[in-house]
Amino acid sequence: MTRVIRLLPAVLVLAVNVWLNAPLFMPGELPFRGSIEGGYAGMARFVSEHPNPWGWNPLQYCGVPTQFMYLPGLPYATAAMAWLLPRVEPDYVYRLIVAVMSCLGPAFVYFFALHFTGSRLWSLAAALAYSLFSPSYGLFPAVEKDRGIVQLPWRMQVLAKYGEGPHNTGLALLPLALWAVWRAGAKGGYAKIFAAALVLAAIALTNWVASLSLAISCLLLAIAAVGLRWFRLRPVITAAALGYALACFWLTPSFIRTIVFNWPVDSFGYHFRSPQAWLLAGLVAGVLLLRLAFYWARGSFYFCLVTLGAFAFGWIATAFYLFGYDTIPESRRYALEFELFLILAVVEAIRLTMRSSNQTIRMCAIGTAAVMLLAGTPQLWAYGTQGWARWQPSPRQTTVEYRVARWLQDHRVLGRVFASGGLRFRLNSWTEIPQVGGGFETGLTNRMPVDLAYHIRTGRDLREGREAADTVLELKALGAEYVVVHGLKSKEYYRDYIHPERLAGALPVVYHEDNDTIYRLPARPLVHLTTPAELPGKDAPTRPWVLEPYVAAIEDPARPVLRTQWAGTSTLTVDGPVPEGRLIAVQVNADPGWRAMQDGRAIAIDRDNLGFMVLHAAAAPAAHIELQYRGTAEQRIMAVLSAMAWVAAIVGLLWRKRLGLTKTS
């Protein structure tokens, strides 16, 4: 009965969140057209159809390894749910999962606060405040300007408007992770270390931003615990090491290295320079000064932890929103963590003040709480009374992106689609059509398709008077068959194709609706014969003319045509004559995981200046070549290590439980 009573406030918090955010649970397209939710949903759809983690995804960025597509937590969770609900579209399943996790976040906050305060009332107050109020609107003018068509707490706003599902999911798990880490360090024991490792691994396999915020939070927890005799760091370090061992099947050294080097590039060109060094120094100094203040004042561990969290993430968010500096990559996104810790710190400060024997101090606490409630009343009133009508989903058929995607699916695409705007995020959430772009660039080992796509969309570095010709040249080099351009008056949100009239007259129009146009290039196979001299030259994005011999070879009608076919997503077959002295150029990204066999014998694979594969095939009148993506030795080694860690961890847990039962009996 006591457990039921403890659960009731959490159930109430969950119900409030689900009710206020009900449109997130409805099928259809939300009115926020700037959301990148479709990109994550597209990854989930692909994994649900092709779950092999060591396979190849030919649908995005001219091909990427499945492992480097994104972190696996949400895609594979969506795939599992889609398997259980075969009649529900994977993109809707994905939204349901992230919506549930986002609504569970405040319930986890309740349990987190309850563990340290022991007060159901104050823990419920913290969870409800986190559910209903968003301090960022009052503190950061840029956030206030981004309020949108409805009033939502900032964490729900970025979920609905921008598609921050993975970050929100990791954020929801953060209180559980800190609670588990605290239990591992304070009480020890294998079961608690294993539980902490599970939550740490879950966040690390869900989102990079949440993983970094978890690392910062755990470091702050360790700093807050300095001086506590019953807290030990060794179990925490053990839990972190075990957590990595459980997750290393995906978080291989190559994957981590790729993310680390790509993340600054993809986070609006982050550079670690003098301002960043000073900001980090100020952050460290502030944390240490706060910790010393709590030591002198003999403050509680919990109050110290949430205050340090509010300061650290507040420093990061404030430096960006008020002064325009990124302390760490994508500093703006850590406003979510700042709100979490700030609300917990404020509620705890009021709780502790209300326990004072001094009536004046208690009255000050009551007055402070009343002022804060009064300041947040407009948010609360708007959030609670606005209803669902203004952000209720509409049928996907009403969006121009879906209509374009359906047209492309009905007209069999032999090459690739160059999709501009937000269509590149949504295309693969509805269809399995290969495209030049995609939804997650940080995992790319070959960034040439991204660089070329940027120059095609913006028209940069094109020769004066030959803008259209250079654009077409780059499109052909990328294997594009269709080009989707959203004009300035399109209902599509991003409209990132500069000077859309550039292609008018250069390519035939095959579809036009309002201000949205599809152009077509000649359909050609992604594999063709070439010579070493015809391979792409260097610096193609800034010197498009170096592609002219390469494209001329692709279009040469006198050359034999090689028949190509995808036999699944990880196998590409090539059949046809290979003359003496010719190479086979494959417009698919090269990767160490590819293997090429010609008539049963292995042949060498090189990489051209576009990052595509070049096969050194033997001359033959009728060659049969099979390209297979099998993954790398590193992937398999790390998978074996991870499997061993899982088996050892579970066996150890069961063995200890059995020993405990034996001793009891």
Side-chain angles (χ1 to χ4, degrees), residues 46-61:
F46 179 82
V47 168
S48 67
E49 299 288 338
H50 314 284
N52 179 13
W54 303 304
W56 185 257
N57 178 2
L59 303 183
Q60 298 192 344
Y61 298 111

Side-chain angles (χ1 to χ4, degrees), residues 485-491 512-517:
V485 177
H486 303 286
L488 299 178
K489 296 181 180 179
S490 171
K491 294 180 181 178
H512 184 77
E513 175 188 346
D514 296 332
N515 212 217
D516 304 281
T517 306

